[in-house]
Amino acid sequence: MGLADFWRTMGGSPRRTGIKNRLWALLERWWDTTNTFHMAWGDITITPLEFAMITGLPFSERNVTFDCELTWRSAAAKDLLGPVVDLTDDDAHASVKVIVEAICGGGVSAEQRVRLFLLALVSRVMARSRNSRVHIKFLSALRDLGAVSSYNWGGLAYSHLLYEMKQASQTALGNDPSMAALWSVLEIWIYEHFPTLAPECTRDAAYPYVASWIGAVRVGASLAASRRAWRVLSAEDVVWRPFVNAVVPVSAARAHFLSGRRVLLPGVYRHMWYLGERVSLQHHSGDRLVPKDPLESMLALDEDLARLYAEARGEAVCRSWREFVHRKGSYDDFLRRLAPPEEEVDPEDIPRADRILRYENSDGEEVVETIPWAFPPHRKSYDDVPEHTPLRLGRECVAGCSCLILGRGSVSS
């Protein structure tokens, strides 16, 4: 699959947008110390294979090159892109409007148009910056158009998504979280792994799998309801390897190999680790094993890169996941070490939302009743209570609802 096909499949350049409630509730469970989502039943994450199968972006051993010294007004940039470089107002960045006008306008060769398109695709879709502009540093990987497809574009976009998930998961309470990355991949990943949370699929499943969900009708949910959905989800609700029976194309073969490794992924800002040992059920058919302690940071330090690549003898920095597990460890004991069982969790520490009922009493005054969040045995009754009750709802009915939800028995008439 080519990069132009990827552009069409993803619906063009996605805007930087606020994260939907279900994604935001999931990102609250993102551990940037392991690059995994932590659930009550263990870790799960987006593996390189899953990213490749959803997007169609190729993974390869040839990392994307950056030239941070290159400027828009340089002679090299003008030779590769044409007269558009004279219209930019920044040495490192250009507005999307300027790029689009140059692609559609005259005075540029066919090769220069292709480079302008690819430059916008990379810096506005796969590895977007938060200033929403096109960066010149990716141009060095676009000099030879015949070699563009050999670069590790999938690895670049995947690493950038992990980095942005780290940033979004650290958003302070009260702020609007957002990701300058392919957040829609995370949405499709949820549908593939958690069918009970997915809308009805309107198309036949096929590679790239993002296209399988085009036209699906999404159902909105509040943040409180989304948090509850992730909290009560069990391991039996998970499709651990959604693409196990799918034909893996050549462009995804490298991603398939990396998913069962501990891998250092080159990124735009920092190199990022993926720990395959923590998600063995997603790439291995055996029992879940206990992973050893993770690295001190998922972001590789610049001073460590030369040593890591020297030890790898110029090849990719990756090792088998089997080197990083305890063969005789108990996964249940491992989970108890990470977090206490549900019955030991302090209810005050659980994200929840009380239900607010509003009605008018017999004197025409508005009454507000707060019904506390229900614990699991009574959650179904709680979920059945409407957001707003009809006008003139009697206090006795409200009291009856409260007793039903809190599990206190019936109300005497």
Side-chain angles (χ1 to χ4, degrees):
M1 179 181 177
L3 296 184
D5 294 326
F6 166 76
W7 175 276
R8 286 191 292 269
T9 302
M10 296 298 294
S13 176
R15 299 175 181 175
R16 181 186 170 204
T17 181
I19 302 172
K20 299 178 182 179
N21 287 332
R22 183 162 290 166
L23 273 65
W24 176 227
L26 179 61
L27 282 171
E28 290 178 332
R29 295 176 172 273
W30 181 254
W31 284 16
D32 60 5
T33 54
T34 58
N35 278 345
T36 57
F37 297 107
H38 183 66
M39 305 294 188
W41 31 262
D43 288 335
I44 190 170
T45 194
I46 305 175
T47 68
L49 174 64
E50 292 165 358
F51 185 88
M53 295 297 281
I54 291 172
T55 65
L57 283 173
F59 279 67
S60 74
E61 297 184 53
R62 187 179 185 184
N63 291 330
V64 178
T65 58
F66 309 120
D67 187 349
C68 296
E69 302 299 324
L70 190 63
T71 64
W72 274 101
R73 297 183 180 88
S74 65
K78 189 167 187 176
D79 181 57
L80 294 172
L81 300 176
V84 64
V85 300
D86 297 325
L87 304 177
T88 59
D89 56 0
D90 188 320
D91 284 341
H93 304 86
S95 69
V96 177
K97 181 180 178 181
V98 168
I99 299 300
V100 171
E101 289 177 350
I103 293 174
C104 301
V108 293
S109 67
E111 286 193 357
Q112 289 169 342
R113 290 182 197 276
V114 172
R115 287 195 189 93
L116 286 167
F117 166 76
L118 293 176
L119 189 61
L121 174 64
V122 175
S123 58
R124 291 290 298 119
V125 180
M126 290 190 288
R128 303 206 311 273
S129 61
R130 291 187 169 255
N131 62 13
S132 300
R133 290 164 69 82
V134 177
H135 204 293
I136 192 65
K137 66 181 178 182
F138 297 105
L139 183 58
S140 57
L142 307 176
R143 294 176 185 272
D144 182 2
L145 293 180
V148 167
S149 61
S150 66
Y151 281 105
N152 187 19
W153 299 110
L156 175 71
Y158 173 67
S159 176
H160 189 64
L161 175 61
L162 297 182
Y163 182 85
E164 283 295 315
M165 288 165 63
K166 168 186 172 67
Q167 300 300 108
S169 68
Q170 296 176 350
T171 302
L173 292 175
N175 292 342
D176 186 23
S178 64
M179 284 196 298
L182 290 172
W183 64 267
S184 55
V185 174
L186 180 55
E187 182 182 33
I188 303 303
W189 178 85
I190 292 174
Y191 299 159
E192 295 289 348
H193 275 284
F194 309 99
T196 59
L197 303 180
E200 183 178 353
C201 189
T202 58
R203 302 190 179 200
D204 293 336
Y207 173 85
Y209 284 82
V210 65
S212 304
W213 297 95
I214 294 176
V217 179
R218 274 72 164 172
V219 178
S222 67
L223 182 57
S226 298
R227 285 167 171 164
R228 287 197 299 272
W230 290 118
R231 189 167 58 249
V232 303
L233 201 70
S234 68
E236 288 70 31
D237 296 320
V238 183
V239 177
W240 289 100
R241 293 189 291 163
F243 309 115
V244 65
N245 295 320
V247 176
V248 177
V250 174
S251 60
R254 176 69 178 172
H256 185 273
F257 169 79
L258 295 177
S259 294
R261 301 291 189 276
R262 175 181 281 195
V263 188
L264 183 61
L265 301 159
V268 178
Y269 304 112
R270 298 280 295 277
H271 284 49
M272 181 77 69
W273 285 99
Y274 160 77
L275 308 182
E277 69 269 14
R278 300 195 74 90
V279 291
S280 58
L281 288 186
Q282 292 183 249
H283 55 75
H284 180 63
S285 59
D287 295 331
R288 171 169 270 181
L289 300 177
V290 179
K292 295 180 180 179
D293 289 342
L295 297 157
E296 184 175 345
S297 173
M298 293 294 96
L299 296 173
L301 299 175
D302 292 339
E303 53 267 29
D304 293 334
L305 293 181
R307 175 182 58 80
L308 289 169
Y309 278 104
E311 292 175 353
R313 299 181 180 179
E315 300 176 355
V317 180
C318 62
R319 294 167 62 185
S320 172
W321 67 277
R322 292 181 175 86
E323 299 179 36
F324 303 101
V325 296
H326 297 288
R327 292 288 182 176
K328 298 181 180 179
S330 166
Y331 201 82
D332 289 338
D333 291 341
F334 169 71
L335 287 180
R336 278 190 285 270
R337 182 167 63 88
L338 292 183
E342 184 174 349
E343 60 269 20
E344 296 180 12
V345 175
D346 183 351
E348 295 302 319
D349 292 336
I350 301 177
R352 64 189 188 280
D354 296 335
R355 182 63 54 85
I356 306 298
L357 296 183
R358 304 175 186 274
Y359 64 96
E360 289 185 8
N361 60 18
S362 58
D363 297 326
E365 300 173 337
E366 183 182 22
V367 178
V368 178
E369 293 280 352
T370 300
I371 300 179
W373 173 85
F375 286 89
H378 314 292
R379 188 169 292 140
K380 187 177 189 305
S381 301
Y382 169 82
D383 291 337
D384 287 341
V385 177
E387 289 289 345
H388 301 284
T389 59
L391 295 176
R392 305 292 180 184
L393 179 66
R395 180 177 296 275
E396 292 80 10
C397 181
V398 174
C401 288
S402 300
C403 291
L404 173 63
I405 291 168
L406 297 178
R408 296 172 180 166
S410 61
V411 179
S412 60
S413 56

